[in-house]
Amino acid sequence: MKVTIRRESPGDASVIRAVVGSAFGEDGPLICHLVDMLRAHACGRDGLSLVAVDDADGRSRVVGQVMVTRSRLDTLPQLIDVGVLSPLAVEPAAQGHGVGGLLVAAAIEAAGSARLPALFLEGDPGFYGRQGFVAATPLGFRKPSLRIPDAAFQVRLLDGYETWMTGTLVYAEPFWDLDCVGLREPEGDSPA
């Protein structure tokens, strides 16, 4: 694979839906809807939707996508803008070739260029730890939902970060509207 990362262009929407749909399996339709809502709500003004393009066979083909959504951190002195890296999708045939890592690295750079002081996510510490993400709670950050496992709540501090910037992460509205925050109990496991 010969992968380059670039900002999403208007003509990418349908192919991104295919990549996201295939990467997320049965949750694909929901995550595709989330991508559409985030694009309209919070990503469009900054262009923080990036795609991975494979040029290995001479034709450009989108094989992955990541978004950085402007969200808020509720600190004692004031609300501040921060980024949330979500969703990250790589089509199944391109997984295992470093595409996800390239997308995460580009998302970190884009968030820093947008002067966001921190980039948060919910994800696997083994994967994201290689990109400099660490557990957020020990640094004074609070999860936006109790349904987020402690180990999954992670942050990458960026150049604009200052030590007073601690508090509760507040996701952008589309994450809440589609109930895409944390993990829900499987059907039949809810308390009676």
Side-chain angles (χ1 to χ4, degrees):
M1 295 188 85
K2 181 182 173 188
V3 176
T4 57
I5 307 297
R6 65 168 170 76
R7 291 190 182 246
E8 174 185 329
S9 65
D12 293 330
S14 63
V15 75
I16 287 171
R17 288 185 66 78
V19 167
V20 171
S22 67
F24 281 92
E26 69 181 39
D27 291 328
L30 173 65
I31 304 304
C32 285
H33 190 53
L34 175 64
V35 166
D36 291 341
M37 287 182 70
L38 290 173
R39 185 183 292 119
H41 176 269
C43 290
R45 69 179 182 202
D46 293 321
L48 296 182
S49 178
L50 306 170
V51 294
V53 180
D54 180 14
D55 293 312
D57 59 4
R59 60 185 180 103
S60 295
R61 188 171 65 86
V62 173
V63 295
Q65 189 246 6
V66 66
M67 296 180 109
V68 174
T69 303
R70 201 173 279 269
S71 293
R72 298 284 175 89
L73 188 65
D74 185 10
T75 73
L76 284 175
Q78 65 193 49
L79 284 171
I80 61 170
D81 285 348
V82 294
V84 171
L85 187 155
S86 181
L88 168 66
V90 177
E91 73 176 21
Q95 292 176 8
H97 296 280
V99 176
L102 290 172
L103 283 165
V104 172
I108 292 166
E109 184 177 326
S113 294
R115 300 181 196 261
L116 297 173
L119 185 59
F120 291 86
L121 59 80
E122 296 176 38
D124 175 10
F127 175 75
Y128 291 103
R130 294 191 298 267
Q131 296 285 350
F133 284 85
V134 297
T137 302
L139 297 177
F141 300 109
R142 288 182 297 281
K143 302 180 290 189
S145 171
L146 295 174
R147 292 178 287 124
I148 300 171
D150 289 337
F153 182 51
Q154 299 169 69
V155 65
R156 168 77 187 254
L157 302 177
L158 304 172
D159 287 342
Y161 172 76
E162 297 179 28
T163 56
W164 63 266
M165 296 177 178
T166 61
T168 303
L169 177 63
V170 181
Y171 278 132
E173 207 56 40
F175 289 105
W176 299 108
D177 289 345
L178 295 177
D179 196 12
C180 290
V181 177
L183 303 173
R184 287 281 178 200
E185 293 287 331
E187 280 190 48
D189 288 347
S190 31

